[in-house]
Amino acid sequence: MKTHLALLRGINVSGHNMIKMDDLKTLLDRMGFQNVRTYIQSGNVFVDSEEEHGATVGFKIKQEIFKEWGYDVPIIVITKEDLEACLNNNPYLKEKEADTKKLYFTFISKELNESSIHDLKMSQVKPDEAVIDKSRIYVKYAVGAGKTRFDQKYIEKKLNVTATMRNWNTVTKLLEMYNEV
């Protein structure tokens, strides 16, 4: 059995794509996943499966959500190692007086190389900052996530990827939950 963390993008945001976590849990149980656990309403779901590949798990969940609710929900499945890397390799934590309230993580659907940072055209979103680390982007907002153009839609458009963002507190809690397994 392998534990997978599926990050669903764009559910329960501003009244769109509303899915109750209890209903999602019931659907995933019905699909045969085991030990289904959710965290907050924004679509963080742990499942245990015989399936080794996260992409396959994500695809199956995406299909069932579409069948059940008619929502085309992008899903990125990440590992415990992805979460650990977020917290251990974040370059903004090395700064004196790092403000974790302004640190976010963008999980993307494919690995990028470091030169992809040029495609983000960061000069258009200054003073926000970002660093690419394979299939993660470390983001540091100057003011906050609610007051910027540098969001997942911007990232998806510039890099031609699927992306979903989580804040510092969520990633920290998700890693705690992974460690409880």
Side-chain angles (χ1 to χ4, degrees):
M1 236 358 124
K2 182 172 181 176
T3 300
H4 301 275
L5 172 56
L7 304 177
L8 287 64
R9 191 198 72 211
I11 67 164
N12 301 334
V13 178
S14 302
H16 297 320
N17 295 343
M18 299 303 292
I19 301 174
K20 292 180 181 173
M21 291 298 101
D22 286 342
D23 294 342
L24 179 62
K25 185 180 181 314
T26 299
L27 176 72
L28 298 176
D29 284 336
R30 232 182 22 231
M31 289 176 64
F33 292 115
Q34 297 179 13
N35 199 19
V36 178
R37 295 143 348 264
T38 64
Y39 175 67
I40 63 178
Q41 296 298 312
S42 59
N44 306 291
V45 184
F46 289 93
V47 297
D48 290 350
S49 172
E50 295 292 336
E51 177 59 54
E52 284 293 314
H53 301 288
T56 303
V57 170
F59 182 74
K60 288 178 181 179
I61 294 171
K62 178 182 173 82
Q63 282 185 311
E64 288 303 311
I65 288 173
F66 188 79
K67 286 179 194 173
E68 185 79 13
W69 291 286
Y71 303 147
D72 185 16
V73 176
I75 298 173
I76 296 176
V77 178
I78 63 171
T79 66
K80 179 179 177 182
E81 292 75 26
D82 288 321
L83 293 174
E84 289 171 337
C86 287
L87 301 178
N88 295 332
N89 301 339
N90 191 314
Y92 301 115
L93 287 177
K94 297 174 182 149
E95 296 176 358
K96 190 175 181 183
E97 300 178 31
D99 184 356
T100 57
K101 292 179 182 149
K102 294 180 180 176
L103 299 182
Y104 281 70
F105 307 93
T106 305
F107 299 95
I108 52 180
S109 57
K110 64 181 181 183
E111 280 199 17
L112 300 172
N113 57 46
E114 289 180 27
S115 67
S116 297
I117 195 74
H118 301 296
D119 298 332
L120 283 176
K121 301 189 184 331
M122 292 304 296
S123 63
Q124 296 177 6
V125 294
K126 286 284 182 201
D128 297 329
E129 299 177 40
V131 173
I132 292 177
D133 178 19
K134 299 179 185 169
S135 59
R136 291 176 292 281
I137 302 175
Y138 304 111
V139 177
K140 182 176 99 173
Y141 289 119
V143 177
K147 301 182 190 292
T148 183
R149 289 183 19 191
F150 189 58
D151 59 11
Q152 68 193 19
K153 288 180 184 177
Y154 179 93
I155 292 168
E156 286 179 329
K157 183 177 179 183
K158 296 293 183 188
L159 298 178
N160 194 30
V161 295
T162 299
T164 188
M165 294 182 102
R166 298 297 186 269
N167 66 29
W168 174 269
N169 288 338
T170 298
V171 169
T172 301
K173 179 61 179 175
L174 292 172
L175 181 57
E176 286 175 22
M177 290 176 73
Y178 239 131
N179 287 330
E180 291 169 1
V181 174

